[in-house]
Amino acid sequence: MSLAGMPCRELHAKLRSGELSSREAVQAALEAIGQRDGTVQAFVDVWENEALLRAEEIDRRRAAGQPVGALAGLPVAVKDNLCTYGRRTSCASRMLENFRPPYDAHVIERLQAADAVIVGKTNLDEFAMGSSSEHSAFQVTRNPWNPEHSPGGSSGGSAAAVAAEMVPAAVGSDTGGSIRQPASFCGVVGLKPTYGRVSRYGLVAFASSLDQIGPLANDVYGCAMLLEVLAGHDPRDATCLNVPVPEYVRSVDEAPERLRVGVVEEFMGEGVDDEVRSAVDRVVGALRDLGAVVESVSLPHARYAVATYYIVAPSEASSNLARYDGIHYGYRAEAFENLEDLYARTRGEAFGSEVKRRIMLGTYALSAGYYDAYYLKALKVRRLIRQDYDRAFERVDVLVGPVAPTPAFRLGEMLEDPLTMYLADVFTIGANLAGLPGISVPAAMSSQGLPIGVQLIGPPLSEERLLRAARLWERHCPRTVLGRPALCQ
Ligand code: GLN
């Protein structure tokens, strides 16, 4: 196994003890990228020189007896909708193809302060709108388990980079499932934190009331390790919570006591693949055997979640994306007749079809005359959805259910059918609408040899418990049971 595919837990221990140098770890990641990214296409940019220089600098500091950060030498990849000072941040859009931000996102600062080494930026659906990574203006990322299949999206590049053992951990963003669904499709662990747990400063906005940044890693430990660094207060994001960050790493191996698990009735019915359902049953059964109390829970408004999300998210997107006018940022049409024409041509030429679809949906829902009927109504239903979860968490500590109705679909399969793609977000968007944390853990392999993840959702700020419960399952079903992508063998 390449060093970059070593479980975060082990790699971290070797880096900390000095058994492994930062340079060796980063070199291994760069080599794996060189070998496999031609096929996988997870990266839109690889920071080869800078990564090696940083790694050497960390090794030098350590050799001189100076302090190093908690993630010293850990190679990580970051989604290309996170601003990186002076380095291309494209959001996989022609609009920002040459955009070099004048500042770093909060999470980039945190990673660097912890001495993690960023090895590159990963592909996504344009502006994070999508579930397949096919809506990138630049490239289609492939699923390392089967290159004919999608890695999921929109953080498909980050998930595929971890699954293909190019990096042990990566950072993504999740507005309606974009960390958890690709984690499920690629057989890695992915966590969407509570809304406000991680600062969104420097995350290119898609839907600001739903967006949240979080980790993907090859084990639960890796997610704990990254979250501990990413989380915490930042005054530059007014929605960022000012509450202490627990020591996720220290507690991750402690089995949660008297865990009460709720199985969401509405998530186990029609439309869910049998193999996905049995993966959920497996996890629930294992947690029960390990001492958890299991009961059935109902989220009566869950069936309105997709409709609600596809009003709220596009509405916010249409407003957030108004800033791309050809004047302030990025792309500008070359020929135009007047200001209006400049706006129209710039946006017409530089946005892809999915982004345009969202802008039109959102503009419509927000327009005078429709605002009350669509946007305001959606906000009310959003509240009802949140109340369902509040009620469920009076009885149970975590909800267990599927991440997506199926394992990874084939590339191209969904492209002509956006509605089916939207409907497949049914199990993930509830957590975003309600602001709750959710984690996807690998749980099974499909008969076609594709990974299937299972989701745990908890009340606000219950990341510590989610990680511990996920770890309990992981111990029971170590990643090696799932095997490794042929590509990596
Ligand atoms: N698939 C969802 C969408 O297309 C979620 C995307 C995301 O979480 N960024 O909007």
Side-chain angles (χ1 to χ4, degrees):
M1 177 183 297
S2 113
L3 275 179
M6 184 181 285
C8 284
R9 176 186 291 269
E10 238 172 283
L11 186 63
H12 193 221
K14 287 195 195 308
L15 284 166
R16 288 189 78 111
S17 70
E19 188 183 325
L20 198 67
S21 71
S22 306
R23 194 192 153 93
E24 284 170 305
V26 169
Q27 185 83 48
L30 293 169
E31 273 166 23
I33 294 169
Q35 281 162 11
R36 296 194 275 275
D37 204 38
T39 309
V40 179
Q41 304 271 302
F43 285 86
V44 291
D45 215 354
V46 180
W47 296 3
E48 188 152 358
N49 293 336
E50 181 174 330
L52 286 172
L53 286 174
R54 272 198 103 89
E56 283 164 9
E57 188 251 330
I58 294 165
D59 286 336
R60 259 200 308 278
R61 258 193 284 140
R62 198 197 293 271
Q66 290 164 7
V68 292
L71 303 182
L74 190 84
V76 295
V78 298
K79 188 173 179 178
D80 203 26
N81 60 352
L82 293 165
C83 286
T84 45
Y85 174 69
R87 319 258 344 199
R88 211 166 78 104
T89 300
S90 72
C91 291
S93 179
R94 294 257 166 257
M95 188 59 91
L96 293 179
E97 192 165 359
N98 297 307
F99 175 54
R100 290 172 190 272
Y103 62 95
D104 275 322
H106 178 78
V107 294
I108 301 292
E109 291 175 353
R110 297 292 282 245
L111 287 172
Q112 287 176 340
D115 287 325
V117 180
I118 298 172
V119 297
K121 309 274 309 264
T122 53
N123 194 34
L124 62 151
D125 290 291
E126 185 176 1
F127 285 103
M129 297 174 191
S131 311
S132 70
S133 301
E134 292 166 292
H135 291 295
S136 163
F138 308 127
Q139 65 205 42
V140 173
T141 302
R142 292 173 179 275
N143 191 315
W145 293 88
N146 181 340
E148 301 292 306
H149 288 249
S150 167
S154 64
S155 311
S158 290
V162 175
E165 301 180 5
M166 299 192 276
V167 281
V171 177
S173 67
D174 190 312
T175 305
S178 278
I179 290 175
R180 291 160 288 157
Q181 183 257 24
S184 172
F185 281 14
C186 289
V188 305
V189 187
L191 185 146
K192 180 202 94 75
T194 308
Y195 185 75
R197 178 72 287 187
V198 176
S199 167
R200 291 179 293 110
Y201 177 78
L203 166 68
V204 178
F206 162 9
S208 310
S209 78
L210 303 161
D211 296 341
Q212 192 56 199
I213 299 167
L216 297 102
N218 62 18
D219 60 7
V220 174
Y221 182 94
C223 279
M225 195 167 78
L226 243 62
L227 184 63
E228 201 169 313
V229 166
L230 302 178
H233 185 236
D234 170 23
R236 297 169 298 183
D237 169 2
T239 63
C240 189
L241 299 168
N242 193 357
V243 287
V245 179
E247 291 181 296
Y248 301 117
V249 176
R250 208 165 61 172
S251 64
V252 71
D253 285 328
E254 292 166 24
E257 276 166 38
R258 290 188 297 277
L259 192 67
R260 294 169 305 166
V261 172
V263 182
V264 185
E265 275 166 36
E266 288 81 359
F267 289 1
M268 296 297 273
E270 232 176 290
V272 185
D273 228 68
D274 286 343
E275 290 185 309
V276 172
R277 200 176 302 122
S278 66
V280 176
D281 288 340
R282 258 183 88 188
V283 175
V284 171
L287 293 176
R288 185 188 284 118
D289 292 347
L290 293 164
V293 180
V294 179
E295 63 175 280
S296 179
V297 161
S298 174
L299 301 174
H301 297 92
R303 63 199 174 105
Y304 303 115
V306 173
T308 305
Y309 173 88
Y310 279 97
I311 296 291
V312 173
S315 297
E316 294 186 21
S318 79
S319 165
N320 273 325
L321 270 62
R323 72 189 68 176
Y324 305 107
D325 55 4
I327 310 288
H328 292 94
Y329 302 93
Y331 183 86
R332 177 181 299 176
E334 271 175 23
F336 51 88
E337 282 163 13
N338 51 41
L339 188 62
E340 183 84 25
D341 191 43
L342 166 63
Y343 293 158
R345 282 177 197 264
T346 295
R347 292 166 68 82
E349 289 166 20
F351 284 141
S353 59
E354 184 58 32
V355 172
K356 286 179 184 161
R357 185 153 39 231
R358 306 286 177 118
I359 292 173
M360 285 190 283
L361 280 169
T363 306
Y364 184 81
L366 290 177
S367 58
Y370 294 106
Y371 183 92
D372 289 357
Y374 291 105
Y375 184 67
L376 211 59
K377 180 82 152 269
L379 292 187
K380 291 176 182 167
V381 181
R382 180 178 187 177
R383 171 63 62 90
L384 294 173
I385 291 170
R386 165 78 195 246
Q387 283 171 354
D388 281 355
Y389 281 97
D390 289 346
R391 235 165 263 140
F393 290 126
E394 284 169 10
R395 289 169 44 204
V396 298
D397 305 312
V398 288
L399 295 172
V400 181
V403 180
T406 63
F409 44 80
R410 297 182 83 82
L411 287 167
E413 197 178 305
M414 297 276 202
L415 269 184
E416 298 309 317
D417 188 4
L419 196 59
T420 305
M421 183 107 96
Y422 295 175
L423 290 172
D425 293 334
V426 55
F427 304 128
T428 46
I429 55 193
N432 301 80
L433 289 166
L436 306 171
I439 189 167
S440 169
V441 272
M445 289 304 278
S446 78
S447 50
Q448 281 192 54
L450 292 162
I452 298 172
V454 162
Q455 180 175 216
L456 309 179
I457 299 175
L461 295 173
S462 65
E463 287 83 358
E464 187 178 357
R465 191 195 295 142
L466 286 186
L467 287 161
R468 288 166 60 187
R471 174 67 189 139
L472 193 62
W473 161 253
E474 183 185 56
R475 273 194 169 162
H476 187 81
C477 171
R479 190 162 176 264
T480 42
V481 172
L482 304 177
R484 297 168 63 207
L487 189 79
C488 301
Q489 285 161 17

